[in-house]
Amino acid sequence: MRLVTLEDIHAAAAAIAPHVVHTPLLSFDSGLRIKPECLQPIGAFKQRGAVNALSRIPSEDRARGVVAYSSGNHAQAVAYAAKLLGMPAAIVVPDNTPQLKIDATRSHGAEVFVVGITERESRAAELVEERGATLIPPFDHPDVIAGQGTIGLEICADFPDVATILVPVSGGGLISGVATAVKSLRPNVRVIGVEPELAADAAASFAAGSLVRWDAHDRARTIADGLRAEPSELTWAHIREYVDDIVTVSEDEIRDAVKQIARRTRIVSETSGAVPVAAYLNRSLPAGPAVAVVSGGNIEPALFASLVGG
């Protein structure tokens, strides 16, 4: 299996530069800086991988459009990138996707199909077959992984003294790209994945040394709606090669982290984006300066108010 390379990630950085924000590093406290990917135009890091993947679709295939399946942020990212590049988009989301993310996806002109939580991939495959469209999966694609890896390039360039980088883990595309970039440039920097305890299949896999599968309904229990997917063979290969550890956090720790991020940095984080900060606040981590990738900020206003108001 061919892994994504540093050269792939540099090429992605050049391709997406006009269309994404080079997000800053903001001080959380003396030991941690956050990288707020919630400042991307669609409110999440997924824009990086989507723009890179769609920009590489041959011109003769673009009129047939793209299909994606997603729990929310990849849906918005593909819809945004398709609008940007003049392609039709059809997006399949599970029925537990926050309405905020569904509405945002439709606002970019995409068709949205809402299905049961175990049906999104099969429905996407049907749409690809019906339309002759190009499938852009949320993480199981080298161009998507390379796009997400540009976050690692930016951290290394902006913070040469970083010792540890904390990254949310779901399907594994984000941590695959970030870890590939970071370990290629700075092998001594530790890259640690963070998962909810209620969706800790990647942590279980890391401990076992091989992929461990959890039922989708079990993974759906977590409040971190963007972290309910499971790694693919491709992302697991990157995790096994480059990631130093995967730790888990509780639901209450995730809720508190959303509040702490808002109060200390004035940044809005969705629950999925807050898990690295939850790990920093509640787990023993290696010494030295750390960065937490706050992966997105697309949270329902009522939920956000309930989390930060207490």
Side-chain angles (χ1 to χ4, degrees):
M1 181 181 295
R2 179 187 179 275
L3 302 188
V4 169
T5 66
L6 181 62
E7 290 72 24
D8 296 328
I9 298 171
H10 278 301
I16 70 176
H19 309 299
V20 303
V21 175
H22 181 132
T23 50
L25 294 175
L26 305 179
S27 177
F28 180 84
D29 65 16
S30 61
L32 179 69
R33 300 183 192 186
I34 67 167
K35 187 163 179 64
E37 285 294 294
C38 49
L39 299 181
Q40 295 297 342
I42 63 108
F45 77 97
K46 292 282 192 177
Q47 186 166 329
R48 295 173 182 265
V51 172
N52 188 49
L54 268 68
S55 71
R56 298 180 187 282
I57 295 174
S59 56
E60 61 270 21
D61 295 333
R62 294 189 177 191
R64 292 190 294 275
V66 293
V67 171
Y69 55 88
S70 168
S71 59
N73 283 333
H74 181 66
Q76 295 177 71
V78 171
Y80 177 92
K83 180 175 68 174
L84 189 73
L85 298 172
M87 289 183 268
I91 313 293
V92 182
V93 299
D95 55 16
N96 60 352
T97 300
Q99 191 63 41
L100 179 84
K101 296 181 179 181
I102 295 174
D103 293 344
T105 302
R106 288 188 171 127
S107 76
H108 296 302
E111 291 180 86
V112 177
F113 299 83
V114 182
V115 300
I117 63 173
T118 61
E119 299 168 13
R120 61 181 192 167
E121 293 185 38
S122 60
R123 182 68 180 112
E126 291 171 359
L127 290 167
V128 168
E129 180 68 22
E130 291 167 8
R131 303 180 182 200
T134 299
L135 179 67
I136 306 295
F139 48 84
D140 190 27
H141 194 294
D143 293 337
V144 171
I145 292 171
Q148 321 308 22
T150 59
I151 293 172
L153 296 183
E154 293 176 9
I155 294 172
C156 289
D158 294 346
F159 194 13
D161 293 333
V162 65
T164 301
I165 300 174
L166 301 162
V167 186
V169 180
S170 182
L174 174 58
I175 197 168
S176 292
V178 170
T180 299
V182 170
K183 289 296 188 178
S184 299
L185 291 168
R186 304 280 301 282
N188 293 330
V189 174
R190 289 180 61 83
V191 178
I192 298 176
V194 189
E195 269 191 316
E197 291 176 355
L198 295 183
D201 52 322
S205 298
F206 197 86
S210 60
L211 278 173
V212 174
R213 297 304 190 189
W214 285 26
D215 184 87
H217 293 89
D218 289 337
R219 289 183 271 114
R221 296 172 298 167
T222 178
I223 193 173
D225 60 274
L227 303 183
R228 295 168 175 166
E230 59 184 359
S232 67
E233 294 286 349
L234 179 62
T235 57
W236 169 246
H238 289 81
I239 291 168
R240 187 176 53 206
E241 180 71 19
Y242 293 116
V243 173
D244 293 289
D245 197 6
I246 299 178
V247 300
T248 64
V249 291
S250 73
E251 299 294 287
D252 285 344
E253 289 165 347
I254 295 169
R255 292 183 177 94
D256 180 64
V258 172
K259 178 169 68 176
Q260 296 301 326
I261 292 167
R263 293 186 173 182
R264 299 192 196 196
T265 70
R266 305 300 187 266
I267 287 292
V268 174
S269 171
E270 60 190 84
T271 49
S272 303
V275 296
V277 174
Y280 173 79
L281 291 170
N282 296 284
R283 299 292 175 270
S284 296
L285 299 172
V291 168
V293 178
V294 176
S295 55
N298 295 315
I299 185 171
E300 295 281 4
L303 175 59
F304 183 70
S306 72
L307 295 177
V308 301

